[in-house]
Amino acid sequence: MNEVVYTGEPFPASRADEARLRQHLGGWVRREGPLLRIDKVVGQVRMDRDRTLVIRSRKADGASLLAWLAHADPQLAALRMLGTTPRSAEDGGFGSLIARVFCLETWRAIQTTGLLRSYHRRQIRAATIRGRIDFSQLSRGGGNLGRIPCVVFARLPQTPLNRLLAAATQRIEHDTELRRAAGASLAMLSTALAEVPPLVTTAELARPPSLSRLEQPFAASAALAGLLLCGNGLDDGRQVGGPALVVVISRLFECTVVRAFRDARLRLSTQHPVEVRYAGPHSTTGRSPMRIDLLLHDLPGGPVIVDAKYKTKITSSDLQQMVTYCWATGARRAVLVVPAGSVQDTRTIVLENAFDEQIEVAVAELQLGARHLGGWQRAGQQLVEQVVQRSR
């Protein structure tokens, strides 16, 4: 049974549910009296054997998120090769959509190329010669010709790519909702991969496999398998395991903003450090933990700070942060980028000190919800145009 909630919106939940969600989502879960709220995350969490909590966004459905991930994350660029995503899986949430698309796409690739195999070196002893004789082993065995040591090469399916696909298939099989969403192609995929051990290390997940020319038809499948096995896309390095499959949408939003300005070929710095000096008898200079999302260097009116805020309200702490960044870099203008339609008051704020020096903080909007790559690219172009026009 699926229970649907929306990111950023409170919903009733028991203490047991809260503990379960905190186990998998950590600080993204907040208690508000009798209600819980999950911030900046979409996906699904299996609460118990018969119940799955589906976390949705009102700004982007499952198909939009797939296109969004493909646009924002270079490691998921292979998803750009996917055609139309099946609408039938979207009722189950983002995880169910990923499971269904993975099975359909992987089975299509297997039908096109067959399950790819590679040669594996094996040492055997046989009554007849197979492959080539291992003369060093033969001499050490006293020249026994009854069991001749040979080296043979067998074409086996236990490749790194196939192990990744098998592990993702097993992940779907072990989850009731994912298994239901996958449909008939799951059984065919399980049969095709029956000889492949579903063994993938954490290091292999952190670094997607480098695919050969023959393996390119499986590129989208490998990217989807990574999402299924890591449990979350575009996070801050914290793996979400087992029954949770989520995307940290605030991180995805930030990556999209950075990508928009990179695509515009503007000179910029990302995660720009704030320099600090510690005064006193042992004065030192260092770097603050604060990092500026984007610093644009060459706009007509001078440098501009750009900060991505996936939120519904601009707070005084946001303004204080921008003032700090401007003061530290010498910029006099900053832009807060928010999801389109999420913030009611988008007027520019001008802060002035006693010496008539001004810092201008503008609000720009990024359109969300595109279901294809072209729509996300246009949204990025429109965002850049807003910022550049305000800097003239």
Side-chain angles (χ1 to χ4, degrees), residues 13 79 99 138 254 353 380:
L79 296 180
L138 182 63
E254 180 184 328
N353 65 15

mmCIF file of all heavy atoms in Angstrom, residues 13 79 99 138 254 353 380:
data_model
loop_
_atom_site.group_PDB
_atom_site.id
_atom_site.type_symbol
_atom_site.label_atom_id
_atom_site.label_comp_id
_atom_site.label_asym_id
_atom_site.label_seq_id
_atom_site.Cartn_x
_atom_site.Cartn_y
_atom_site.Cartn_z
ATOM 1 N N ALA A 13 1.899 11.616 11.466
ATOM 2 C CA ALA A 13 2.750 10.427 11.516
ATOM 3 C C ALA A 13 2.991 10.038 12.964
ATOM 4 O O ALA A 13 3.096 10.900 13.846
ATOM 5 C CB ALA A 13 4.079 10.686 10.807
ATOM 6 N N LEU A 79 21.126 9.089 -19.319
ATOM 7 C CA LEU A 79 19.666 9.106 -19.281
ATOM 8 C C LEU A 79 19.081 9.958 -20.398
ATOM 9 O O LEU A 79 17.893 9.846 -20.702
ATOM 10 C CB LEU A 79 19.179 9.640 -17.928
ATOM 11 C CG LEU A 79 19.531 8.805 -16.695
ATOM 12 C CD1 LEU A 79 18.975 9.453 -15.444
ATOM 13 C CD2 LEU A 79 19.005 7.391 -16.821
ATOM 14 N N ALA A 99 12.377 1.957 -11.364
ATOM 15 C CA ALA A 99 12.399 0.500 -11.479
ATOM 16 C C ALA A 99 11.813 0.043 -12.810
ATOM 17 O O ALA A 99 12.382 -0.827 -13.490
ATOM 18 C CB ALA A 99 11.636 -0.125 -10.317
ATOM 19 N N LEU A 138 52.989 -28.582 -15.797
ATOM 20 C CA LEU A 138 53.259 -29.956 -16.228
ATOM 21 C C LEU A 138 54.598 -30.447 -15.689
ATOM 22 O O LEU A 138 54.707 -31.577 -15.209
ATOM 23 C CB LEU A 138 53.246 -30.024 -17.761
ATOM 24 C CG LEU A 138 53.461 -31.413 -18.381
ATOM 25 C CD1 LEU A 138 52.328 -32.357 -17.989
ATOM 26 C CD2 LEU A 138 53.558 -31.305 -19.909
ATOM 27 N N GLU A 254 20.428 23.221 -6.979
ATOM 28 C CA GLU A 254 21.701 23.950 -6.996
ATOM 29 C C GLU A 254 22.544 23.579 -8.213
ATOM 30 O O GLU A 254 23.126 24.440 -8.876
ATOM 31 C CB GLU A 254 22.471 23.661 -5.709
ATOM 32 C CG GLU A 254 23.817 24.365 -5.621
ATOM 33 C CD GLU A 254 24.582 23.973 -4.365
ATOM 34 O OE1 GLU A 254 23.935 23.696 -3.335
ATOM 35 O OE2 GLU A 254 25.830 23.940 -4.422
ATOM 36 N N ASN A 353 24.098 51.575 3.796
ATOM 37 C CA ASN A 353 24.704 51.913 5.090
ATOM 38 C C ASN A 353 24.788 53.433 5.263
ATOM 39 O O ASN A 353 24.322 54.203 4.421
ATOM 40 C CB ASN A 353 26.081 51.254 5.245
ATOM 41 C CG ASN A 353 27.091 51.798 4.236
ATOM 42 O OD1 ASN A 353 26.881 52.838 3.592
ATOM 43 N ND2 ASN A 353 28.206 51.093 4.102
ATOM 44 N N GLY A 380 17.143 27.129 -18.038
ATOM 45 C CA GLY A 380 18.444 27.662 -17.649
ATOM 46 C C GLY A 380 18.790 28.933 -18.399
ATOM 47 O O GLY A 380 19.311 29.891 -17.810
#
